[in-house]
Amino acid sequence: MIYGLMVGRNEEGRYLDDVMSRLSSQVDKIIFTDDCSNDSTPEIASKYATVYSTSENLFIKHEGQLRSEAWANLSKHARPGDWVVAVDADEKLYTLDNCSIEEVLRRSPYDVVNVKRYEMWNEDGYRVDKMWAPHNTMRIFRFSEGGVYLDKVLACGSEPTYVFDWVRKRNFWLESGIIMQHLGYLKDEDKQSKYNRYTTIDNGKFHNINHINSIKDETTVLIPWGIFGDKKVDLK
């Protein structure tokens, strides 16, 4: 089985419907944990996923606790050996050869599969200057019981700590060909919201402060989506 693991709060009118529609075609089942939304987020998610709800708003309080609760919900379904695809409500997955995620995972000789993440800065391009270069993530991995998350208010990661242990043991497929389109900075209001959150809660404690401040840069370097290195790919 391939499980999608997702959390969200007040995602109505953003990217949730499109993201979940795509993800539902790539995995067998999605487990969605709603963080006390006061809009139609749970209803949208329920079209594609099994939905659980937190008893209090955890995202603004302690992201690690929210991720842990989502993991507990996933653990009601997944079994050791199943694949977990951990994405957020503004992230979409593609494969560079346009084959299915299932097909890629069937070829994987490892228990952790790299997903290269691209930060979309507008509808057409992803950012590549300063610390915004595309980077490797550990968003696809085998399920193992008893997973725990870093005890951090922010930047706890989307994967449990055992995944880091596997990577350190080189149980990690770097050249998977799976990429992620992150939409979280796409619009000006998204950038402002991110900047406000990081300066209020973080202010350099969890992320590089220069990186946070660079959200406000007026001049950036962008590459058109679909161009990766020296290749142009018509992604589906």
Side-chain angles (χ1 to χ4, degrees):
M1 287 281 286
I2 306 174
Y3 285 92
L5 176 63
M6 186 182 294
V7 301
R9 171 178 166 80
N10 290 350
E11 298 291 342
E12 177 187 350
R14 297 188 71 241
Y15 313 105
L16 183 63
D17 211 328
D18 185 37
V19 165
M20 295 200 75
S21 175
R22 181 172 186 82
L23 183 61
S24 67
S25 71
Q26 297 172 318
V27 303
D28 298 309
K29 189 179 183 68
I30 303 173
I31 306 301
F32 184 94
T33 299
D34 178 69
D35 189 33
C36 291
S37 294
N38 51 30
D39 64 6
S40 65
T41 293
E43 289 75 23
I44 296 171
S46 66
K47 294 190 297 183
Y48 308 101
T50 297
V51 178
Y52 294 89
S53 297
T54 59
S55 58
E56 60 176 319
N57 180 199
L58 294 174
F59 188 65
I60 61 173
K61 175 184 175 183
H62 196 292
E63 185 183 346
Q65 292 178 10
L66 174 60
R67 300 284 183 184
S68 294
E69 187 160 332
W71 186 261
N73 294 332
L74 174 67
S75 298
K76 299 171 185 176
H77 303 267
R79 296 293 177 265
D82 288 339
W83 285 105
V84 180
V85 178
V87 297
D88 287 337
D90 55 7
E91 298 172 338
K92 299 168 72 173
L93 297 181
Y94 297 83
T95 61
L96 289 176
D97 59 3
N98 284 319
C99 66
S100 69
I101 299 291
E102 180 184 13
E103 186 176 342
V104 175
L105 297 184
R106 208 164 37 232
R107 299 198 304 262
S108 173
Y110 302 101
D111 292 326
V112 183
V113 173
N114 178 52
V115 177
K116 183 160 284 190
R117 174 168 148 148
Y118 293 78
E119 306 285 353
M120 298 299 293
W121 217 248
N122 59 32
E123 292 281 354
D124 302 313
Y126 59 90
R127 189 171 176 180
V128 294
D129 63 293
K130 297 183 177 177
M131 298 175 69
W132 296 96
H135 58 279
N136 299 321
T137 72
M138 300 167 286
R139 296 297 197 87
I140 302 180
F141 49 88
R142 296 277 190 184
F143 176 82
S144 183
E145 294 178 338
V148 296
Y149 283 77
L150 295 174
D151 184 18
K152 295 175 68 174
V153 173
L154 197 63
C156 68
S158 299
E159 57 282 303
T161 55
Y162 72 77
V163 175
F164 301 112
D165 294 334
W166 285 352
V167 171
R168 281 192 289 268
K169 295 175 182 176
R170 300 185 183 278
N171 188 2
F172 182 51
W173 189 18
L174 184 62
E175 302 300 332
S176 72
I178 301 177
I179 62 175
M180 173 183 288
Q181 187 183 49
H182 179 221
L183 308 175
Y185 294 95
L186 194 69
K187 302 174 183 177
D188 289 343
E189 56 263 36
D190 295 331
K191 296 180 183 68
Q192 187 64 53
S193 177
K194 291 277 192 182
Y195 179 79
N196 292 344
R197 172 173 167 78
Y198 288 139
T199 52
T200 301
I201 302 176
D202 188 324
N203 202 29
K205 290 185 291 185
F206 305 105
H207 295 88
N208 183 295
I209 189 62
N210 292 324
H211 185 50
I212 294 173
N213 289 335
S214 71
I215 296 173
K216 304 289 284 184
D217 286 353
E218 294 185 4
T219 302
T220 58
V221 179
L222 306 183
I223 292 178
W225 178 249
I227 297 178
F228 309 101
D230 58 355
K231 295 181 180 180
K232 185 175 182 180
V233 183
D234 182 16
L235 295 172
K236 300 176 181 177

